[in-house]
mmCIF file of all heavy atoms in Angstrom:
data_model
loop_
_atom_site.group_PDB
_atom_site.id
_atom_site.type_symbol
_atom_site.label_atom_id
_atom_site.label_comp_id
_atom_site.label_asym_id
_atom_site.label_seq_id
_atom_site.Cartn_x
_atom_site.Cartn_y
_atom_site.Cartn_z
ATOM 1 N N THR A 6 15.404 21.159 -62.453
ATOM 2 C CA THR A 6 14.109 20.874 -61.857
ATOM 3 C C THR A 6 14.156 19.467 -61.294
ATOM 4 O O THR A 6 15.049 18.672 -61.622
ATOM 5 C CB THR A 6 12.975 20.966 -62.902
ATOM 6 O OG1 THR A 6 13.173 19.942 -63.878
ATOM 7 C CG2 THR A 6 12.947 22.339 -63.567
ATOM 8 N N LEU A 7 13.189 19.136 -60.468
ATOM 9 C CA LEU A 7 13.110 17.789 -59.931
ATOM 10 C C LEU A 7 12.942 16.792 -61.054
ATOM 11 O O LEU A 7 13.531 15.710 -61.041
ATOM 12 C CB LEU A 7 11.962 17.671 -58.928
ATOM 13 C CG LEU A 7 11.770 16.304 -58.270
ATOM 14 C CD1 LEU A 7 13.027 15.878 -57.524
ATOM 15 C CD2 LEU A 7 10.577 16.313 -57.335
ATOM 16 N N ASN A 8 12.199 17.154 -62.070
ATOM 17 C CA ASN A 8 12.012 16.273 -63.214
ATOM 18 C C ASN A 8 13.350 15.998 -63.909
ATOM 19 O O ASN A 8 13.609 14.874 -64.350
ATOM 20 C CB ASN A 8 10.991 16.860 -64.201
ATOM 21 C CG ASN A 8 10.594 15.864 -65.245
ATOM 22 O OD1 ASN A 8 10.298 14.706 -64.945
ATOM 23 N ND2 ASN A 8 10.614 16.296 -66.506
ATOM 24 N N ASP A 9 14.211 17.020 -64.044
ATOM 25 C CA ASP A 9 15.542 16.825 -64.639
ATOM 26 C C ASP A 9 16.317 15.781 -63.856
ATOM 27 O O ASP A 9 16.971 14.913 -64.436
ATOM 28 C CB ASP A 9 16.345 18.133 -64.642
ATOM 29 C CG ASP A 9 15.790 19.179 -65.580
ATOM 30 O OD1 ASP A 9 15.110 18.811 -66.557
ATOM 31 O OD2 ASP A 9 16.043 20.368 -65.321
ATOM 32 N N LEU A 10 16.271 15.872 -62.541
ATOM 33 C CA LEU A 10 17.024 14.939 -61.700
ATOM 34 C C LEU A 10 16.440 13.532 -61.760
ATOM 35 O O LEU A 10 17.179 12.548 -61.792
ATOM 36 C CB LEU A 10 17.051 15.437 -60.260
ATOM 37 C CG LEU A 10 17.756 16.775 -60.032
ATOM 38 C CD1 LEU A 10 17.603 17.228 -58.600
ATOM 39 C CD2 LEU A 10 19.210 16.697 -60.419
ATOM 40 N N LEU A 11 15.126 13.435 -61.813
ATOM 41 C CA LEU A 11 14.483 12.112 -61.884
ATOM 42 C C LEU A 11 14.654 11.474 -63.243
ATOM 43 O O LEU A 11 14.696 10.244 -63.356
ATOM 44 C CB LEU A 11 12.993 12.232 -61.519
ATOM 45 C CG LEU A 11 12.683 12.677 -60.090
ATOM 46 C CD1 LEU A 11 11.192 12.862 -59.892
ATOM 47 C CD2 LEU A 11 13.262 11.702 -59.078
ATOM 48 N N GLU A 12 14.733 12.260 -64.282
ATOM 49 C CA GLU A 12 14.883 11.750 -65.649
ATOM 50 C C GLU A 12 16.349 11.545 -66.051
ATOM 51 O O GLU A 12 16.632 11.196 -67.197
ATOM 52 C CB GLU A 12 14.206 12.685 -66.640
ATOM 53 C CG GLU A 12 12.686 12.629 -66.603
ATOM 54 C CD GLU A 12 12.169 11.274 -67.040
ATOM 55 O OE1 GLU A 12 12.668 10.716 -68.032
ATOM 56 O OE2 GLU A 12 11.239 10.773 -66.378
ATOM 57 N N LEU A 13 17.275 11.776 -65.149
ATOM 58 C CA LEU A 13 18.698 11.650 -65.465
ATOM 59 C C LEU A 13 19.065 10.283 -66.063
ATOM 60 O O LEU A 13 19.772 10.219 -67.062
ATOM 61 C CB LEU A 13 19.554 11.989 -64.250
ATOM 62 C CG LEU A 13 21.058 12.047 -64.474
ATOM 63 C CD1 LEU A 13 21.417 13.045 -65.580
ATOM 64 C CD2 LEU A 13 21.752 12.438 -63.177
ATOM 65 N N PRO A 14 18.588 9.155 -65.514
ATOM 66 C CA PRO A 14 18.928 7.865 -66.145
ATOM 67 C C PRO A 14 18.450 7.759 -67.586
ATOM 68 O O PRO A 14 19.193 7.278 -68.453
ATOM 69 C CB PRO A 14 18.221 6.839 -65.248
ATOM 70 C CG PRO A 14 18.010 7.519 -63.951
ATOM 71 C CD PRO A 14 17.851 8.978 -64.266
ATOM 72 N N ASN A 15 17.235 8.221 -67.874
ATOM 73 C CA ASN A 15 16.737 8.184 -69.247
ATOM 74 C C ASN A 15 17.538 9.107 -70.153
ATOM 75 O O ASN A 15 17.782 8.794 -71.319
ATOM 76 C CB ASN A 15 15.250 8.560 -69.288
ATOM 77 C CG ASN A 15 14.391 7.542 -68.591
ATOM 78 O OD1 ASN A 15 14.712 6.353 -68.537
ATOM 79 N ND2 ASN A 15 13.292 7.994 -68.015
ATOM 80 N N GLU A 16 17.930 10.244 -69.625
ATOM 81 C CA GLU A 16 18.734 11.202 -70.389
ATOM 82 C C GLU A 16 20.100 10.613 -70.731
ATOM 83 O O GLU A 16 20.633 10.832 -71.817
ATOM 84 C CB GLU A 16 18.876 12.503 -69.611
ATOM 85 C CG GLU A 16 19.399 13.651 -70.432
ATOM 86 C CD GLU A 16 18.483 14.065 -71.554
ATOM 87 O OE1 GLU A 16 17.251 13.985 -71.405
ATOM 88 O OE2 GLU A 16 19.009 14.460 -72.614
ATOM 89 N N VAL A 17 20.654 9.842 -69.808
ATOM 90 C CA VAL A 17 21.933 9.169 -70.068
ATOM 91 C C VAL A 17 21.797 8.221 -71.250
ATOM 92 O O VAL A 17 22.631 8.221 -72.161
ATOM 93 C CB VAL A 17 22.420 8.395 -68.806
ATOM 94 C CG1 VAL A 17 23.565 7.460 -69.144
ATOM 95 C CG2 VAL A 17 22.851 9.372 -67.730
ATOM 96 N N LEU A 18 20.742 7.425 -71.254
ATOM 97 C CA LEU A 18 20.546 6.463 -72.341
ATOM 98 C C LEU A 18 20.298 7.160 -73.679
ATOM 99 O O LEU A 18 20.833 6.743 -74.714
ATOM 100 C CB LEU A 18 19.388 5.511 -72.019
ATOM 101 C CG LEU A 18 19.635 4.586 -70.810
ATOM 102 C CD1 LEU A 18 18.371 3.819 -70.466
ATOM 103 C CD2 LEU A 18 20.790 3.651 -71.064
#
Side-chain angles (χ1 to χ4, degrees):
T6 65
L7 180 59
N8 191 47
D9 292 335
L10 298 174
L11 296 175
E12 287 295 317
L13 186 56
N15 294 330
E16 194 64 35
V17 167
L18 295 173

